[in-house]
Amino acid sequence: YPGIPLIHCPNEGKRSDFEQFKFSVLGGESGVSDLLHPASSGNHKGIWIELKCGRNKLSSKQLEFLIQMHYLGYAAAVVYDRSDDFLFLLQSYYDDPAFFNAGIVVSRGELKALKYEEAAKTLVVQKREVKPKAAFKEKIR
């Protein structure tokens, strides 16, 4: 998008053991958001944006990073699928910066600000309880 400085953090992807070692030695950290827009608005220093598509969810490290950035004075957001939602998020960041004080902002057709507990329940992959084989076999009998 012309005129908007965006910094992409190439942090995603599967890595071999050696690539993971090299990544960590070079200062890479898992959970860092995909984009940083380093322009202030209201009382925010900038906005960190995690991009997701489809039904993908945040990892717990990604949510932890967004919460940490929010505490450090940045706006924190998650955008799903559509470029229109991304542009609406950025426009809202400038038009109504106070909205971004409420928590993690999610742009998926509309903007919602989620408190941390709600974000953890709705945006993060929930670990399923693993049942032993014996209990499963008993259940299907």
Side-chain angles (χ1 to χ4, degrees), residues 85-109:
D85 288 345
F86 177 78
L87 296 175
F88 182 64
L89 173 86
L90 283 181
Q91 189 62 49
S92 299
Y93 174 67
Y94 289 107
D95 292 346
D96 188 11
F99 179 76
F100 290 79
N101 293 337
I104 308 299
V105 174
V106 179
S107 182
R108 190 179 216 168

mmCIF file with all atom_site columns, all heavy atoms in Angstrom, residues 85-109:
data_model
loop_
_atom_site.group_PDB
_atom_site.id
_atom_site.type_symbol
_atom_site.label_atom_id
_atom_site.label_alt_id
_atom_site.label_comp_id
_atom_site.label_asym_id
_atom_site.label_entity_id
_atom_site.label_seq_id
_atom_site.pdbx_PDB_ins_code
_atom_site.Cartn_x
_atom_site.Cartn_y
_atom_site.Cartn_z
_atom_site.occupancy
_atom_site.B_iso_or_equiv
_atom_site.pdbx_formal_charge
_atom_site.auth_seq_id
_atom_site.auth_comp_id
_atom_site.auth_asym_id
_atom_site.auth_atom_id
_atom_site.pdbx_PDB_model_num
ATOM 1   N N   . ASP A 1 85  ? -10.108 -5.676  4.920  1.00 0.00 ? 85  ASP A N   1
ATOM 2   C CA  . ASP A 1 85  ? -10.079 -5.663  6.384  1.00 0.00 ? 85  ASP A CA  1
ATOM 3   C C   . ASP A 1 85  ? -8.769  -5.063  6.899  1.00 0.00 ? 85  ASP A C   1
ATOM 4   O O   . ASP A 1 85  ? -8.746  -4.344  7.895  1.00 0.00 ? 85  ASP A O   1
ATOM 5   C CB  . ASP A 1 85  ? -10.262 -7.068  6.952  1.00 0.00 ? 85  ASP A CB  1
ATOM 6   C CG  . ASP A 1 85  ? -11.680 -7.585  6.794  1.00 0.00 ? 85  ASP A CG  1
ATOM 7   O OD1 . ASP A 1 85  ? -12.577 -6.772  6.511  1.00 0.00 ? 85  ASP A OD1 1
ATOM 8   O OD2 . ASP A 1 85  ? -11.880 -8.797  6.957  1.00 0.00 ? 85  ASP A OD2 1
ATOM 9   N N   . PHE A 1 86  ? -7.680  -5.356  6.193  1.00 0.00 ? 86  PHE A N   1
ATOM 10  C CA  . PHE A 1 86  ? -6.381  -4.804  6.568  1.00 0.00 ? 86  PHE A CA  1
ATOM 11  C C   . PHE A 1 86  ? -6.379  -3.287  6.418  1.00 0.00 ? 86  PHE A C   1
ATOM 12  O O   . PHE A 1 86  ? -5.956  -2.561  7.318  1.00 0.00 ? 86  PHE A O   1
ATOM 13  C CB  . PHE A 1 86  ? -5.284  -5.434  5.706  1.00 0.00 ? 86  PHE A CB  1
ATOM 14  C CG  . PHE A 1 86  ? -3.918  -4.880  5.976  1.00 0.00 ? 86  PHE A CG  1
ATOM 15  C CD1 . PHE A 1 86  ? -3.205  -5.286  7.086  1.00 0.00 ? 86  PHE A CD1 1
ATOM 16  C CD2 . PHE A 1 86  ? -3.348  -3.945  5.127  1.00 0.00 ? 86  PHE A CD2 1
ATOM 17  C CE1 . PHE A 1 86  ? -1.944  -4.769  7.347  1.00 0.00 ? 86  PHE A CE1 1
ATOM 18  C CE2 . PHE A 1 86  ? -2.103  -3.433  5.374  1.00 0.00 ? 86  PHE A CE2 1
ATOM 19  C CZ  . PHE A 1 86  ? -1.395  -3.848  6.481  1.00 0.00 ? 86  PHE A CZ  1
ATOM 20  N N   . LEU A 1 87  ? -6.859  -2.806  5.297  1.00 0.00 ? 87  LEU A N   1
ATOM 21  C CA  . LEU A 1 87  ? -6.901  -1.358  5.057  1.00 0.00 ? 87  LEU A CA  1
ATOM 22  C C   . LEU A 1 87  ? -7.844  -0.660  6.026  1.00 0.00 ? 87  LEU A C   1
ATOM 23  O O   . LEU A 1 87  ? -7.550  0.435   6.521  1.00 0.00 ? 87  LEU A O   1
ATOM 24  C CB  . LEU A 1 87  ? -7.297  -1.071  3.606  1.00 0.00 ? 87  LEU A CB  1
ATOM 25  C CG  . LEU A 1 87  ? -6.292  -1.562  2.566  1.00 0.00 ? 87  LEU A CG  1
ATOM 26  C CD1 . LEU A 1 87  ? -6.839  -1.348  1.161  1.00 0.00 ? 87  LEU A CD1 1
ATOM 27  C CD2 . LEU A 1 87  ? -4.958  -0.864  2.734  1.00 0.00 ? 87  LEU A CD2 1
ATOM 28  N N   . PHE A 1 88  ? -8.973  -1.298  6.336  1.00 0.00 ? 88  PHE A N   1
ATOM 29  C CA  . PHE A 1 88  ? -9.921  -0.736  7.311  1.00 0.00 ? 88  PHE A CA  1
ATOM 30  C C   . PHE A 1 88  ? -9.272  -0.646  8.686  1.00 0.00 ? 88  PHE A C   1
ATOM 31  O O   . PHE A 1 88  ? -9.441  0.336   9.413  1.00 0.00 ? 88  PHE A O   1
ATOM 32  C CB  . PHE A 1 88  ? -11.202 -1.570  7.344  1.00 0.00 ? 88  PHE A CB  1
ATOM 33  C CG  . PHE A 1 88  ? -12.238 -1.036  8.286  1.00 0.00 ? 88  PHE A CG  1
ATOM 34  C CD1 . PHE A 1 88  ? -12.822 0.204   8.082  1.00 0.00 ? 88  PHE A CD1 1
ATOM 35  C CD2 . PHE A 1 88  ? -12.624 -1.770  9.391  1.00 0.00 ? 88  PHE A CD2 1
ATOM 36  C CE1 . PHE A 1 88  ? -13.768 0.709   8.956  1.00 0.00 ? 88  PHE A CE1 1
ATOM 37  C CE2 . PHE A 1 88  ? -13.572 -1.279  10.279 1.00 0.00 ? 88  PHE A CE2 1
ATOM 38  C CZ  . PHE A 1 88  ? -14.141 -0.035  10.055 1.00 0.00 ? 88  PHE A CZ  1
ATOM 39  N N   . LEU A 1 89  ? -8.501  -1.672  9.049  1.00 0.00 ? 89  LEU A N   1
ATOM 40  C CA  . LEU A 1 89  ? -7.797  -1.665  10.329 1.00 0.00 ? 89  LEU A CA  1
ATOM 41  C C   . LEU A 1 89  ? -6.827  -0.484  10.402 1.00 0.00 ? 89  LEU A C   1
ATOM 42  O O   . LEU A 1 89  ? -6.815  0.258   11.387 1.00 0.00 ? 89  LEU A O   1
ATOM 43  C CB  . LEU A 1 89  ? -7.031  -2.976  10.519 1.00 0.00 ? 89  LEU A CB  1
ATOM 44  C CG  . LEU A 1 89  ? -6.133  -3.013  11.746 1.00 0.00 ? 89  LEU A CG  1
ATOM 45  C CD1 . LEU A 1 89  ? -6.919  -3.438  12.972 1.00 0.00 ? 89  LEU A CD1 1
ATOM 46  C CD2 . LEU A 1 89  ? -4.951  -3.919  11.534 1.00 0.00 ? 89  LEU A CD2 1
ATOM 47  N N   . LEU A 1 90  ? -6.032  -0.292  9.362  1.00 0.00 ? 90  LEU A N   1
ATOM 48  C CA  . LEU A 1 90  ? -5.071  0.810   9.378  1.00 0.00 ? 90  LEU A CA  1
ATOM 49  C C   . LEU A 1 90  ? -5.769  2.169   9.415  1.00 0.00 ? 90  LEU A C   1
ATOM 50  O O   . LEU A 1 90  ? -5.336  3.071   10.131 1.00 0.00 ? 90  LEU A O   1
ATOM 51  C CB  . LEU A 1 90  ? -4.142  0.734   8.167  1.00 0.00 ? 90  LEU A CB  1
ATOM 52  C CG  . LEU A 1 90  ? -3.029  -0.302  8.253  1.00 0.00 ? 90  LEU A CG  1
ATOM 53  C CD1 . LEU A 1 90  ? -2.169  -0.270  7.007  1.00 0.00 ? 90  LEU A CD1 1
ATOM 54  C CD2 . LEU A 1 90  ? -2.161  -0.091  9.480  1.00 0.00 ? 90  LEU A CD2 1
ATOM 55  N N   . GLN A 1 91  ? -6.848  2.315   8.668  1.00 0.00 ? 91  GLN A N   1
ATOM 56  C CA  . GLN A 1 91  ? -7.589  3.573   8.685  1.00 0.00 ? 91  GLN A CA  1
ATOM 57  C C   . GLN A 1 91  ? -8.159  3.842   10.075 1.00 0.00 ? 91  GLN A C   1
ATOM 58  O O   . GLN A 1 91  ? -8.097  4.956   10.585 1.00 0.00 ? 91  GLN A O   1
ATOM 59  C CB  . GLN A 1 91  ? -8.714  3.562   7.641  1.00 0.00 ? 91  GLN A CB  1
ATOM 60  C CG  . GLN A 1 91  ? -9.384  4.903   7.460  1.00 0.00 ? 91  GLN A CG  1
ATOM 61  C CD  . GLN A 1 91  ? -8.420  5.968   6.951  1.00 0.00 ? 91  GLN A CD  1
ATOM 62  O OE1 . GLN A 1 91  ? -7.696  5.740   5.980  1.00 0.00 ? 91  GLN A OE1 1
ATOM 63  N NE2 . GLN A 1 91  ? -8.406  7.108   7.604  1.00 0.00 ? 91  GLN A NE2 1
ATOM 64  N N   . SER A 1 92  ? -8.679  2.791   10.707 1.00 0.00 ? 92  SER A N   1
ATOM 65  C CA  . SER A 1 92  ? -9.232  2.918   12.063 1.00 0.00 ? 92  SER A CA  1
ATOM 66  C C   . SER A 1 92  ? -8.152  3.248   13.073 1.00 0.00 ? 92  SER A C   1
ATOM 67  O O   . SER A 1 92  ? -8.403  3.965   14.049 1.00 0.00 ? 92  SER A O   1
ATOM 68  C CB  . SER A 1 92  ? -9.940  1.625   12.468 1.00 0.00 ? 92  SER A CB  1
ATOM 69  O OG  . SER A 1 92  ? -11.005 1.357   11.601 1.00 0.00 ? 92  SER A OG  1
ATOM 70  N N   . TYR A 1 93  ? -6.949  2.735   12.845 1.00 0.00 ? 93  TYR A N   1
ATOM 71  C CA  . TYR A 1 93  ? -5.819  3.016   13.732 1.00 0.00 ? 93  TYR A CA  1
ATOM 72  C C   . TYR A 1 93  ? -5.567  4.525   13.805 1.00 0.00 ? 93  TYR A C   1
ATOM 73  O O   . TYR A 1 93  ? -5.235  5.057   14.860 1.00 0.00 ? 93  TYR A O   1
ATOM 74  C CB  . TYR A 1 93  ? -4.585  2.266   13.228 1.00 0.00 ? 93  TYR A CB  1
ATOM 75  C CG  . TYR A 1 93  ? -3.308  2.581   13.958 1.00 0.00 ? 93  TYR A CG  1
ATOM 76  C CD1 . TYR A 1 93  ? -3.129  2.215   15.287 1.00 0.00 ? 93  TYR A CD1 1
ATOM 77  C CD2 . TYR A 1 93  ? -2.266  3.236   13.315 1.00 0.00 ? 93  TYR A CD2 1
ATOM 78  C CE1 . TYR A 1 93  ? -1.944  2.494   15.960 1.00 0.00 ? 93  TYR A CE1 1
ATOM 79  C CE2 . TYR A 1 93  ? -1.084  3.518   13.969 1.00 0.00 ? 93  TYR A CE2 1
ATOM 80  C CZ  . TYR A 1 93  ? -0.931  3.151   15.293 1.00 0.00 ? 93  TYR A CZ  1
ATOM 81  O OH  . TYR A 1 93  ? 0.243   3.433   15.951 1.00 0.00 ? 93  TYR A OH  1
ATOM 82  N N   . TYR A 1 94  ? -5.748  5.212   12.687 1.00 0.00 ? 94  TYR A N   1
ATOM 83  C CA  . TYR A 1 94  ? -5.560  6.667   12.653 1.00 0.00 ? 94  TYR A CA  1
ATOM 84  C C   . TYR A 1 94  ? -6.814  7.431   13.063 1.00 0.00 ? 94  TYR A C   1
ATOM 85  O O   . TYR A 1 94  ? -6.728  8.450   13.737 1.00 0.00 ? 94  TYR A O   1
ATOM 86  C CB  . TYR A 1 94  ? -5.100  7.119   11.271 1.00 0.00 ? 94  TYR A CB  1
ATOM 87  C CG  . TYR A 1 94  ? -3.684  6.705   10.986 1.00 0.00 ? 94  TYR A CG  1
ATOM 88  C CD1 . TYR A 1 94  ? -3.406  5.676   10.096 1.00 0.00 ? 94  TYR A CD1 1
ATOM 89  C CD2 . TYR A 1 94  ? -2.629  7.327   11.639 1.00 0.00 ? 94  TYR A CD2 1
ATOM 90  C CE1 . TYR A 1 94  ? -2.101  5.288   9.858  1.00 0.00 ? 94  TYR A CE1 1
ATOM 91  C CE2 . TYR A 1 94  ? -1.323  6.934   11.404 1.00 0.00 ? 94  TYR A CE2 1
ATOM 92  C CZ  . TYR A 1 94  ? -1.068  5.924   10.509 1.00 0.00 ? 94  TYR A CZ  1
ATOM 93  O OH  . TYR A 1 94  ? 0.222   5.523   10.281 1.00 0.00 ? 94  TYR A OH  1
ATOM 94  N N   . ASP A 1 95  ? -7.992  6.949   12.639 1.00 0.00 ? 95  ASP A N   1
ATOM 95  C CA  . ASP A 1 95  ? -9.242  7.665   12.914 1.00 0.00 ? 95  ASP A CA  1
ATOM 96  C C   . ASP A 1 95  ? -9.696  7.553   14.368 1.00 0.00 ? 95  ASP A C   1
ATOM 97  O O   . ASP A 1 95  ? -10.276 8.480   14.915 1.00 0.00 ? 95  ASP A O   1
ATOM 98  C CB  . ASP A 1 95  ? -10.367 7.157   12.002 1.00 0.00 ? 95  ASP A CB  1
ATOM 99  C CG  . ASP A 1 95  ? -10.142 7.518   10.543 1.00 0.00 ? 95  ASP A CG  1
ATOM 100 O OD1 . ASP A 1 95  ? -9.279  8.377   10.267 1.00 0.00 ? 95  ASP A OD1 1
ATOM 101 O OD2 . ASP A 1 95  ? -10.816 6.916   9.687  1.00 0.00 ? 95  ASP A OD2 1
ATOM 102 N N   . ASP A 1 96  ? -9.483  6.386   14.983 1.00 0.00 ? 96  ASP A N   1
ATOM 103 C CA  . ASP A 1 96  ? -9.971  6.148   16.344 1.00 0.00 ? 96  ASP A CA  1
ATOM 104 C C   . ASP A 1 96  ? -8.924  5.380   17.159 1.00 0.00 ? 96  ASP A C   1
ATOM 105 O O   . ASP A 1 96  ? -9.135  4.223   17.531 1.00 0.00 ? 96  ASP A O   1
ATOM 106 C CB  . ASP A 1 96  ? -11.283 5.372   16.285 1.00 0.00 ? 96  ASP A CB  1
ATOM 107 C CG  . ASP A 1 96  ? -11.963 5.237   17.636 1.00 0.00 ? 96  ASP A CG  1
ATOM 108 O OD1 . ASP A 1 96  ? -11.540 5.921   18.598 1.00 0.00 ? 96  ASP A OD1 1
ATOM 109 O OD2 . ASP A 1 96  ? -12.903 4.430   17.746 1.00 0.00 ? 96  ASP A OD2 1
ATOM 110 N N   . PRO A 1 97  ? -7.780  6.008   17.468 1.00 0.00 ? 97  PRO A N   1
ATOM 111 C CA  . PRO A 1 97  ? -6.723  5.280   18.171 1.00 0.00 ? 97  PRO A CA  1
ATOM 112 C C   . PRO A 1 97  ? -7.123  4.813   19.572 1.00 0.00 ? 97  PRO A C   1
ATOM 113 O O   . PRO A 1 97  ? -6.602  3.821   20.055 1.00 0.00 ? 97  PRO A O   1
ATOM 114 C CB  . PRO A 1 97  ? -5.566  6.281   18.228 1.00 0.00 ? 97  PRO A CB  1
ATOM 115 C CG  . PRO A 1 97  ? -6.163  7.609   17.971 1.00 0.00 ? 97  PRO A CG  1
ATOM 116 C CD  . PRO A 1 97  ? -7.404  7.385   17.162 1.00 0.00 ? 97  PRO A CD  1
ATOM 117 N N   . ALA A 1 98  ? -8.085  5.476   20.193 1.00 0.00 ? 98  ALA A N   1
ATOM 118 C CA  . ALA A 1 98  ? -8.521  5.072   21.535 1.00 0.00 ? 98  ALA A CA  1
ATOM 119 C C   . ALA A 1 98  ? -9.154  3.681   21.524 1.00 0.00 ? 98  ALA A C   1
ATOM 120 O O   . ALA A 1 98  ? -9.087  2.959   22.515 1.00 0.00 ? 98  ALA A O   1
ATOM 121 C CB  . ALA A 1 98  ? -9.507  6.087   22.100 1.00 0.00 ? 98  ALA A CB  1
ATOM 122 N N   . PHE A 1 99  ? -9.768  3.288   20.403 1.00 0.00 ? 99  PHE A N   1
ATOM 123 C CA  . PHE A 1 99  ? -10.373 1.964   20.285 1.00 0.00 ? 99  PHE A CA  1
ATOM 124 C C   . PHE A 1 99  ? -9.330  0.869   20.517 1.00 0.00 ? 99  PHE A C   1
ATOM 125 O O   . PHE A 1 99  ? -9.620  -0.189  21.060 1.00 0.00 ? 99  PHE A O   1
ATOM 126 C CB  . PHE A 1 99  ? -11.010 1.807   18.896 1.00 0.00 ? 99  PHE A CB  1
ATOM 127 C CG  . PHE A 1 99  ? -11.643 0.471   18.667 1.00 0.00 ? 99  PHE A CG  1
ATOM 128 C CD1 . PHE A 1 99  ? -12.867 0.158   19.247 1.00 0.00 ? 99  PHE A CD1 1
ATOM 129 C CD2 . PHE A 1 99  ? -11.030 -0.486  17.873 1.00 0.00 ? 99  PHE A CD2 1
ATOM 130 C CE1 . PHE A 1 99  ? -13.464 -1.076  19.038 1.00 0.00 ? 99  PHE A CE1 1
ATOM 131 C CE2 . PHE A 1 99  ? -11.613 -1.721  17.656 1.00 0.00 ? 99  PHE A CE2 1
ATOM 132 C CZ  . PHE A 1 99  ? -12.831 -2.017  18.244 1.00 0.00 ? 99  PHE A CZ  1
ATOM 133 N N   . PHE A 1 100 ? -8.083  1.130   20.150 1.00 0.00 ? 100 PHE A N   1
ATOM 134 C CA  . PHE A 1 100 ? -7.017  0.144   20.238 1.00 0.00 ? 100 PHE A CA  1
ATOM 135 C C   . PHE A 1 100 ? -6.476  0.002   21.663 1.00 0.00 ? 100 PHE A C   1
ATOM 136 O O   . PHE A 1 100 ? -5.645  -0.855  21.920 1.00 0.00 ? 100 PHE A O   1
ATOM 137 C CB  . PHE A 1 100 ? -5.891  0.488   19.261 1.00 0.00 ? 100 PHE A CB  1
ATOM 138 C CG  . PHE A 1 100 ? -6.296  0.275   17.826 1.00 0.00 ? 100 PHE A CG  1
ATOM 139 C CD1 . PHE A 1 100 ? -7.066  1.207   17.163 1.00 0.00 ? 100 PHE A CD1 1
ATOM 140 C CD2 . PHE A 1 100 ? -5.922  -0.876  17.159 1.00 0.00 ? 100 PHE A CD2 1
ATOM 141 C CE1 . PHE A 1 100 ? -7.455  1.000   15.851 1.00 0.00 ? 100 PHE A CE1 1
ATOM 142 C CE2 . PHE A 1 100 ? -6.305  -1.092  15.850 1.00 0.00 ? 100 PHE A CE2 1
ATOM 143 C CZ  . PHE A 1 100 ? -7.084  -0.151  15.193 1.00 0.00 ? 100 PHE A CZ  1
ATOM 144 N N   . ASN A 1 101 ? -6.957  0.831   22.588 1.00 0.00 ? 101 ASN A N   1
ATOM 145 C CA  . ASN A 1 101 ? -6.559  0.709   23.988 1.00 0.00 ? 101 ASN A CA  1
ATOM 146 C C   . ASN A 1 101 ? -7.252  -0.462  24.677 1.00 0.00 ? 101 ASN A C   1
ATOM 147 O O   . ASN A 1 101 ? -6.813  -0.912  25.726 1.00 0.00 ? 101 ASN A O   1
ATOM 148 C CB  . ASN A 1 101 ? -6.893  1.989   24.767 1.00 0.00 ? 101 ASN A CB  1
ATOM 149 C CG  . ASN A 1 101 ? -6.060  3.162   24.318 1.00 0.00 ? 101 ASN A CG  1
ATOM 150 O OD1 . ASN A 1 101 ? -4.988  2.998   23.764 1.00 0.00 ? 101 ASN A OD1 1
ATOM 151 N ND2 . ASN A 1 101 ? -6.570  4.353   24.549 1.00 0.00 ? 101 ASN A ND2 1
ATOM 152 N N   . ALA A 1 102 ? -8.359  -0.941  24.096 1.00 0.00 ? 102 ALA A N   1
ATOM 153 C CA  . ALA A 1 102 ? -9.218  -1.930  24.764 1.00 0.00 ? 102 ALA A CA  1
ATOM 154 C C   . ALA A 1 102 ? -8.651  -3.347  24.774 1.00 0.00 ? 102 ALA A C   1
ATOM 155 O O   . ALA A 1 102 ? -9.161  -4.205  25.478 1.00 0.00 ? 102 ALA A O   1
ATOM 156 C CB  . ALA A 1 102 ? -10.597 -1.937  24.108 1.00 0.00 ? 102 ALA A CB  1
ATOM 157 N N   . GLY A 1 103 ? -7.626  -3.627  23.988 1.00 0.00 ? 103 GLY A N   1
ATOM 158 C CA  . GLY A 1 103 ? -7.066  -4.976  23.959 1.00 0.00 ? 103 GLY A CA  1
ATOM 159 C C   . GLY A 1 103 ? -6.571  -5.349  22.576 1.00 0.00 ? 103 GLY A C   1
ATOM 160 O O   . GLY A 1 103 ? -6.151  -4.488  21.808 1.00 0.00 ? 103 GLY A O   1
ATOM 161 N N   . ILE A 1 104 ? -6.640  -6.625  22.253 1.00 0.00 ? 104 ILE A N   1
ATOM 162 C CA  . ILE A 1 104 ? -6.221  -7.125  20.949 1.00 0.00 ? 104 ILE A CA  1
ATOM 163 C C   . ILE A 1 104 ? -7.357  -6.881  19.965 1.00 0.00 ? 104 ILE A C   1
ATOM 164 O O   . ILE A 1 104 ? -8.477  -7.348  20.174 1.00 0.00 ? 104 ILE A O   1
ATOM 165 C CB  . ILE A 1 104 ? -5.895  -8.638  21.003 1.00 0.00 ? 104 ILE A CB  1
ATOM 166 C CG1 . ILE A 1 104 ? -4.902  -8.950  22.120 1.00 0.00 ? 104 ILE A CG1 1
ATOM 167 C CG2 . ILE A 1 104 ? -5.399  -9.123  19.649 1.00 0.00 ? 104 ILE A CG2 1
ATOM 168 C CD1 . ILE A 1 104 ? -3.566  -8.289  22.006 1.00 0.00 ? 104 ILE A CD1 1
ATOM 169 N N   . VAL A 1 105 ? -7.075  -6.162  18.883 1.00 0.00 ? 105 VAL A N   1
ATOM 170 C CA  . VAL A 1 105 ? -8.103  -5.836  17.900 1.00 0.00 ? 105 VAL A CA  1
ATOM 171 C C   . VAL A 1 105 ? -8.091  -6.899  16.804 1.00 0.00 ? 105 VAL A C   1
ATOM 172 O O   . VAL A 1 105 ? -7.042  -7.248  16.272 1.00 0.00 ? 105 VAL A O   1
ATOM 173 C CB  . VAL A 1 105 ? -7.875  -4.432  17.306 1.00 0.00 ? 105 VAL A CB  1
ATOM 174 C CG1 . VAL A 1 105 ? -8.852  -4.142  16.184 1.00 0.00 ? 105 VAL A CG1 1
ATOM 175 C CG2 . VAL A 1 105 ? -7.995  -3.382  18.401 1.00 0.00 ? 105 VAL A CG2 1
ATOM 176 N N   . VAL A 1 106 ? -9.266  -7.409  16.488 1.00 0.00 ? 106 VAL A N   1
ATOM 177 C CA  . VAL A 1 106 ? -9.425  -8.421  15.449 1.00 0.00 ? 106 VAL A CA  1
ATOM 178 C C   . VAL A 1 106 ? -10.215 -7.809  14.307 1.00 0.00 ? 106 VAL A C   1
ATOM 179 O O   . VAL A 1 106 ? -11.284 -7.228  14.517 1.00 0.00 ? 106 VAL A O   1
ATOM 180 C CB  . VAL A 1 106 ? -10.161 -9.667  15.983 1.00 0.00 ? 106 VAL A CB  1
ATOM 181 C CG1 . VAL A 1 106 ? -10.348 -10.692 14.885 1.00 0.00 ? 106 VAL A CG1 1
ATOM 182 C CG2 . VAL A 1 106 ? -9.406  -10.263 17.153 1.00 0.00 ? 106 VAL A CG2 1
ATOM 183 N N   . SER A 1 107 ? -9.680  -7.928  13.101 1.00 0.00 ? 107 SER A N   1
ATOM 184 C CA  . SER A 1 107 ? -10.358 -7.424  11.914 1.00 0.00 ? 107 SER A CA  1
ATOM 185 C C   . SER A 1 107 ? -10.749 -8.618  11.047 1.00 0.00 ? 107 SER A C   1
ATOM 186 O O   . SER A 1 107 ? -9.910  -9.234  10.397 1.00 0.00 ? 107 SER A O   1
ATOM 187 C CB  . SER A 1 107 ? -9.435  -6.486  11.140 1.00 0.00 ? 107 SER A CB  1
ATOM 188 O OG  . SER A 1 107 ? -10.095 -5.965  10.020 1.00 0.00 ? 107 SER A OG  1
ATOM 189 N N   . ARG A 1 108 ? -12.035 -8.932  11.075 1.00 0.00 ? 108 ARG A N   1
ATOM 190 C CA  . ARG A 1 108 ? -12.571 -10.049 10.297 1.00 0.00 ? 108 ARG A CA  1
ATOM 191 C C   . ARG A 1 108 ? -13.996 -9.674  9.916  1.00 0.00 ? 108 ARG A C   1
ATOM 192 O O   . ARG A 1 108 ? -14.948 -10.073 10.565 1.00 0.00 ? 108 ARG A O   1
ATOM 193 C CB  . ARG A 1 108 ? -12.550 -11.322 11.115 1.00 0.00 ? 108 ARG A CB  1
ATOM 194 C CG  . ARG A 1 108 ? -12.869 -12.554 10.318 1.00 0.00 ? 108 ARG A CG  1
ATOM 195 C CD  . ARG A 1 108 ? -12.799 -13.792 11.183 1.00 0.00 ? 108 ARG A CD  1
ATOM 196 N NE  . ARG A 1 108 ? -12.279 -14.893 10.412 1.00 0.00 ? 108 ARG A NE  1
ATOM 197 C CZ  . ARG A 1 108 ? -11.880 -16.031 10.912 1.00 0.00 ? 108 ARG A CZ  1
ATOM 198 N NH1 . ARG A 1 108 ? -11.911 -16.216 12.200 1.00 0.00 ? 108 ARG A NH1 1
ATOM 199 N NH2 . ARG A 1 108 ? -11.439 -16.977 10.136 1.00 0.00 ? 108 ARG A NH2 1
ATOM 200 N N   . GLY A 1 109 ? -14.115 -8.837  8.891  1.00 0.00 ? 109 GLY A N   1
ATOM 201 C CA  . GLY A 1 109 ? -15.427 -8.342  8.499  1.00 0.00 ? 109 GLY A CA  1
ATOM 202 C C   . GLY A 1 109 ? -15.828 -7.110  9.288  1.00 0.00 ? 109 GLY A C   1
ATOM 203 O O   . GLY A 1 109 ? -16.487 -6.229  8.781  1.00 0.00 ? 109 GLY A O   1
#
